[in-house]
């Protein structure tokens, strides 16, 4: 396996492992908890090293996971006092922990070179070279093993708890009445998130784990309404981001982790613009279509209201319609043309007259929208 | 007291303390509004979104002058906020999701640009990453003057539009029905927050900025229900944390300023949560115990004949 392949595989596995819990996080509106946890990793790492007296990565990982759990616990404790909102609680806890970690580093680890760059955006570029050596046998890149374990863990837990997660996400009260505690599910999810974040952090650094958890899931959310599709979609999008980002970083000679996030950002933007249901482009054309239909509805209602009254003639004249309905002459003509195309009106001697089809449409409009028409 | 003497006459201590105080006041007051409008973590997102702005500003001008870089930071933060606001209105994505998306994507692009710049071996680029962790100790007089101008400007605008911002924060629909330009007010208030973040970036860095925005307002909220009082207290607490953290860090060795400010602030928040007269946790425990005793006494007295 070449170095490049190892890096690429690590990136893909990491992205997929993170995207899966991300789906539930954004559905539960807890996306920023990922941010809080990943910032708390630094002090956890440092604390682990401090307790162990050495810069052993296992100790660091345990310390980091403990710090993540402490963060979640503190945030929830603060929320329970009912004096602090969820987001505020996060914004108080994780900076305090990060500040503690930075101070610990300055005081006790000033000599030890703690690579702040690596903490921020990881060193996936070197993942091929850190080998896992067990009993003298080289089992391959360490990061591949870590990511594989993470991926299996996530797939396993999320499959096992799929039904519980689904119900407690969309209807916590129902899940409670069905007999399983949404709180327990929540804590399990947070535990899974903590472990995943710490593991992924070793590859892509603190900040970018947040991107891997949130962005593919958000992109998938824009594209589908079904939970399972969203999970699978986010995994695929995460993988695509990893592959594309890798190549982007190689081309411009920048950080691979940065490249992956940039690529995920591009994919998200594409979904935001072009999603058939949620996309901004689709919304614009849908709004325009609705505007046009509403204008036609206004026109035929106006004509129907004034039919068989004294001012029928004046109200239905071409010139007057625009003024009555506050349309510009161009808008009025366009709407009349659309109504004519749909067979609802005809033009006769400078007036606009309802057809039978048009009257029928008006009747249905009144019934469906329960409009009362003054006679 | 020698500290007080140094505060006035020692160049470094004076600048760091002033810088910290200004940041604390401005971030505190504007952050109070952010907290009220449930945009608490917007400060966190803004500060992370600033990174690509700093990089692009550097790439375009090849200058490391703080004002230039901070303007880049401000523009990037502003663009990020616009994307955030537009997307949560137009799609089903929730606020926390979009905050996370903007934060991480902008920051990732920033990291890509930063590493790209570092590869170019441009001598000027060293020190761009001080914005990540903040380096208050390197504040000079010119920086502090810039902060003072920016901060004062922001506070003046806040003072002038106080009533409008107040209405916007508590009842935007009513404000709209009164004919107030709600969207422009929204943009203006958010822009003021961007200014606060710009000031804070150099002092406490990207990560810790969130606390500077949220902490003072949260602490102040415990002491009062009146908005005006809350804003004054926010400024006070923020400034106090700024000065305290700065003074302690300059006097002691190997205690970086940014984190010390945050720790001072966290202490203020903790004290407020616990000991504030009416809303405080201790006060509530005392009240509960008194009520329980009162009720117990009533029970023992038995029904009144």
């Amino acid at each position: 396996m070449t170095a490049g392949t190892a890096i690429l595989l690590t990136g893909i596995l990491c992205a997929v492992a993170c995207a899966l819990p991300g789906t539930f996080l954004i559905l539960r509106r807890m996306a920023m908890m990922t941010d809080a946890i990943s910032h708390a990793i630094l002090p956890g790492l440092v604390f682990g090293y401090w307790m162990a007296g050495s810069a052993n990565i296992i100790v660091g990982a345990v310390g980091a996971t403990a710090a993540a759990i402490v963060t979640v616990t503190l945030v929830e404790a603060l929320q329970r006092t009912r004096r602090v909102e969820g987001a505020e609680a996060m914004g108080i806890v994780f900076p305090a922990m990060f500040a503690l970690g930075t101070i610990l580093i300055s005081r006790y680890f000033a000599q030890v070179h703690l690579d702040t760059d690596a903490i921020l955006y990881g060193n996936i570029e070197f993942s091929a070279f850190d080998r896992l050596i067990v009993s003298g046998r080289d089992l391959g890149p360490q990061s591949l093993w870590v990511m594989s374990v993470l991926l299996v863990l996530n797939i396993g837990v999320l499959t096992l708890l799929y039904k519980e997660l689904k119900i407690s996400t969309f209807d916590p009260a129902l899940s409670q009445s069905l007999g399983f505690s949404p709180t327990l599910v929540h804590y399990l999810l947070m535990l899974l998130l903590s472990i995943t974040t710490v593991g992924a952090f070793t590859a892509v650094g603190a900040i970018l784990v947040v991107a891997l958890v949130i962005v593919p899931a958000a992109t998938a959310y824009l594209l589908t309404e079904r939970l399972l599709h969203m999970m699978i979609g986010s995994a695929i999008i995460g993988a695509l981001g990893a592959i594309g980002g890798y190549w982007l970083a190689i081309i411009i000679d920048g950080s691979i982790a940065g490249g992956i996030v940039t690529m995920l950002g591009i994919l998200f933007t594409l979904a935001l613009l072009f999603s058939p249901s949620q996309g901004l482009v689709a919304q614009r054309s849908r709004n325009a279509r609705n505007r046009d239909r509403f204008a036609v509805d206004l026109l035929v209602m106006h004509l129907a209201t004034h039919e068989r009254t004294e001012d029928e003639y004046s109200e239905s004249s071409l010139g007057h319609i625009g003024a009555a309905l506050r349309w510009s002459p161009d808008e009025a003509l366009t709407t009349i043309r659309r109504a004519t195309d749909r067979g609802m009106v005809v033009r006769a001697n400078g007036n606009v007259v309802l057809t039978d089809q048009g009257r029928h449409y008006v009747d249905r409009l009144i019934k469906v929208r329960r409009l009362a028409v003054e006679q | 007291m020698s500290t007080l003497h140094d505060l006035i006459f020692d160049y470094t201590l004076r600048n760091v303390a002033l810088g910290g105080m200004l940041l604390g006041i401005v971030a505190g007051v504007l952050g109070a509004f952010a907290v009220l409008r449930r945009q608490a973590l917007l400060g966190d997102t803004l500060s992370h979104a600033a990174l690509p702005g700093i990089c692009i500003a550097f790439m375009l001008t090849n200058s490391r002058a703080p004002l230039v870089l901070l303007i880049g930071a401000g523009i990037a933060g502003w663009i990020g906020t616009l994307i955030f606001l537009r997307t949560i209105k137009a799609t089903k994505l929730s606020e926390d999701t979009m905050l996370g998306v903007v934060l991480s994507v902008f920051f990732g692009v920033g990291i890509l640009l930063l590493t790209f710049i570092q590869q170019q071996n441009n001598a000027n680029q060293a020190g761009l990453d001080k914005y990540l962790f903040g380096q208050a100790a390197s504040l000079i007089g010119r920086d502090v003057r810039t902060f003072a101008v920016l901060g004062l400007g922001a506070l003046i605008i806040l003072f002038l539009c106080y009533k409008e911002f107040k209405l916007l924060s508590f009842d935007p629909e009513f404000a709209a029905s009164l004919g107030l330009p709600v969207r422009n007010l929204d943009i203006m208030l958010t822009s003021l927050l961007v200014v606060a973040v710009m000031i804070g970036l150099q002092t406490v860095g990207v990560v810790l900025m969130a606390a500077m925005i949220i902490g003072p307002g949260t602490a102040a909220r415990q002491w009062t229900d009146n908005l005006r009082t809350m804003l004054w207290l926010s400024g006070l607490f923020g400034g106090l944390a700024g000065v305290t953290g700065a003074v302690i860090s300059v006097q002691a060795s190997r205690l970086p300023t940014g984190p010390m400010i945050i720790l001072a602030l966290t202490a203020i928040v903790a004290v407020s949560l616990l000991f504030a007269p009416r809303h405080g946790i201790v006060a509530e425990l005392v009240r509960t115990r008194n009520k329980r005793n009162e009720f117990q006494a009533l029970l023992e007295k038995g029904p009144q004949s």
Side-chain angles (χ1 to χ4, degrees), chain A residues 26 29-32 35 39 78 81-85 87-88 90-92 94-96 98-100 102-103 106-107 110 116-117 120-121 207-208 210-211 214-215 218 221-222 224-225 248 252-255 258-259 261-262 265 268 272 278 280 283, chain B residues 35 38 40-41 44-45 48 86-87 90-94 96-101 103-105 107-109 111-112 115-116 118-119 129 132-133 207-208 210-211 214-215 218 222 252-256 259-260 262-263 266 269 273 279-281 284:
Chain A
I26 77 167
R29 298 166 187 257
M30 302 199 63
M32 286 303 260
D35 188 45
H39 284 99
L78 270 180
T81 69
R82 279 169 296 117
R83 291 160 177 81
V84 188
E85 290 280 323
E88 291 165 47
M90 285 185 224
I92 293 174
F94 82 75
F98 194 83
L100 265 175
T102 313
I103 290 177
S106 289
R107 292 288 277 194
T116 46
D117 286 353
L120 273 177
Y121 46 87
I207 307 299
L208 300 160
V210 182
I214 298 180
V215 182
Y221 195 27
L222 285 174
T224 177
E225 301 285 314
L248 176 61
I252 77 166
D253 198 16
S255 144
V261 176
T262 307
F268 175 80
L272 180 62
Q278 293 275 308
L280 297 180
Q283 281 192 21
Chain B
V35 168
R38 320 217 150 211
L41 283 170
D44 191 27
T45 299
H48 283 84
R86 183 96 210 281
T87 311
T91 69
K92 57 181 169 172
L93 294 175
S94 60
D96 61 292
T97 303
M98 266 324 283
L99 281 177
V101 169
L103 181 157
S104 55
V105 170
F107 195 79
V109 171
I111 292 287
L112 190 63
T115 52
F116 171 68
Q118 284 168 344
Q119 293 289 45
D129 46 0
L132 291 172
F133 293 98
V207 176
L208 299 175
I214 296 177
T218 306
Q222 309 308 317
S253 71
R254 292 188 295 153
L255 279 181
M260 280 319 295
I262 299 303
L263 284 188
T266 310
V269 172
L273 282 174
H279 296 297
I281 294 177
E284 183 180 331

Side-chain angles (χ1 to χ4, degrees), chain A residues 39 98 120 207, chain B residues 19-20 22-24 26-27 42-57 65-78 103 106-107 110 127-139 143 146-147 150 192-213 257-259 261-262:
Chain A
H39 284 99
F98 194 83
L120 273 177
I207 307 299
Chain B
L22 279 169
L23 164 65
V26 177
L42 187 56
D44 191 27
T45 299
L46 276 173
S47 64
H48 283 84
L51 183 63
I54 294 175
C55 292
I56 293 180
L67 191 56
V68 171
L69 297 183
L70 287 186
I71 289 180
I75 294 178
W78 207 68
L103 181 157
F106 271 61
F107 195 79
L128 276 187
D129 46 0
K130 81 173 180 195
Y131 289 96
L132 291 172
F133 293 98
Q135 229 175 64
S138 68
L139 282 178
D143 297 331
T146 311
F147 294 171
L150 282 175
L192 293 182
L193 196 63
V194 171
V195 169
V197 170
M198 282 163 61
I199 296 179
L201 275 181
Q202 215 180 337
T203 318
V204 296
V206 167
V207 176
L208 299 175
M209 195 61 216
M212 288 311 302
I213 302 272
T257 311
I261 295 179
I262 299 303

Side-chain angles (χ1 to χ4, degrees), chain B residues 216-295:
Chain B
T218 306
R221 180 70 186 86
Q222 309 308 317
W223 298 89
T224 176
D225 291 324
N226 178 305
L227 178 62
R228 207 174 273 265
T229 314
M230 181 180 156
L231 289 177
W232 280 105
L233 278 179
S234 300
L236 176 67
F237 287 152
L240 191 60
V243 172
T244 311
V247 167
I248 296 181
S249 85
V250 170
Q251 306 288 53
S253 71
R254 292 188 295 153
L255 279 181
T257 311
M260 280 319 295
I261 295 179
I262 299 303
L263 284 188
L265 186 56
T266 310
I268 295 178
V269 172
V271 165
S272 302
L273 282 174
L274 285 171
F275 298 116
R278 228 173 336 142
H279 296 297
I281 294 177
V282 167
E284 183 180 331
L285 286 175
V286 167
R287 251 198 324 267
T288 311
R289 195 201 56 192
N290 287 345
K291 279 245 158 17
R292 211 186 354 247
N293 292 343
E294 194 184 310
F295 193 54

Side-chain angles (χ1 to χ4, degrees), chain B residues 76-94:
Chain B
W78 207 68
I79 294 178
T81 310
L82 284 181
I83 295 178
F84 163 73
L85 288 172
R86 183 96 210 281
T87 311
I88 57 174
K89 281 205 187 80
T91 69
K92 57 181 169 172
L93 294 175
S94 60

Side-chain angles (χ1 to χ4, degrees), chain A residues 137-319:
Chain A
R137 284 196 8 207
D138 179 0
L139 289 175
Q142 190 176 337
S143 58
L144 270 186
W145 283 98
V146 173
M147 293 309 144
S148 307
V149 167
L150 276 183
L151 184 57
V152 168
L153 182 68
N154 272 285
I155 294 180
V157 173
L158 293 176
T159 311
L160 223 61
L161 292 178
Y162 183 71
K163 284 208 275 295
E164 287 79 359
L165 275 168
K166 186 173 180 178
I167 299 184
S168 61
T169 302
F170 294 110
D171 199 340
L174 177 63
S175 71
Q176 188 119 43
S177 74
L178 283 176
F180 59 87
S181 158
T183 320
L184 182 60
V185 176
H186 168 73
Y187 279 121
L188 284 174
L189 184 61
M190 287 295 110
L191 185 60
L192 181 64
L193 178 67
S194 301
I195 297 175
T196 309
T197 309
V198 173
F201 153 86
T202 62
V204 293
I207 307 299
L208 300 160
V209 181
V210 182
L212 285 180
V213 172
I214 298 180
V215 182
T219 311
Y221 195 27
L222 285 174
L223 296 172
T224 177
E225 301 285 314
R226 302 202 30 197
L227 180 59
L228 195 58
H229 293 182
M230 187 175 158
M231 283 178 75
I232 299 177
S234 64
I236 295 177
I237 292 169
L240 285 177
I243 299 173
Y246 173 77
W247 289 114
L248 176 61
I250 300 259
I251 292 174
I252 77 166
D253 198 16
S255 144
I256 292 182
I260 293 179
V261 176
T262 307
M263 186 53 59
L264 287 176
I266 293 176
L267 291 175
F268 175 80
T269 311
L270 287 176
L272 180 62
L273 289 174
F274 300 118
S275 159
S277 55
Q278 293 275 308
L280 297 180
V281 165
Q283 281 192 21
R284 190 167 287 226
S285 69
R286 221 181 6 245
N287 287 343
R289 240 193 345 263
N290 285 341
R291 227 182 4 250
D292 296 339
R293 303 198 74 152
F294 185 61
V296 168
D297 287 356
L298 273 180
L299 175 66
V300 294
M301 282 302 295
H302 173 84
L303 292 176
T305 314
H306 292 283
E307 248 188 357
R308 286 187 288 274
T309 64
E310 305 97 51
D311 46 359
E312 173 178 5
Y313 224 51
S314 58
E315 286 292 342
S316 62
S317 72
L318 268 170

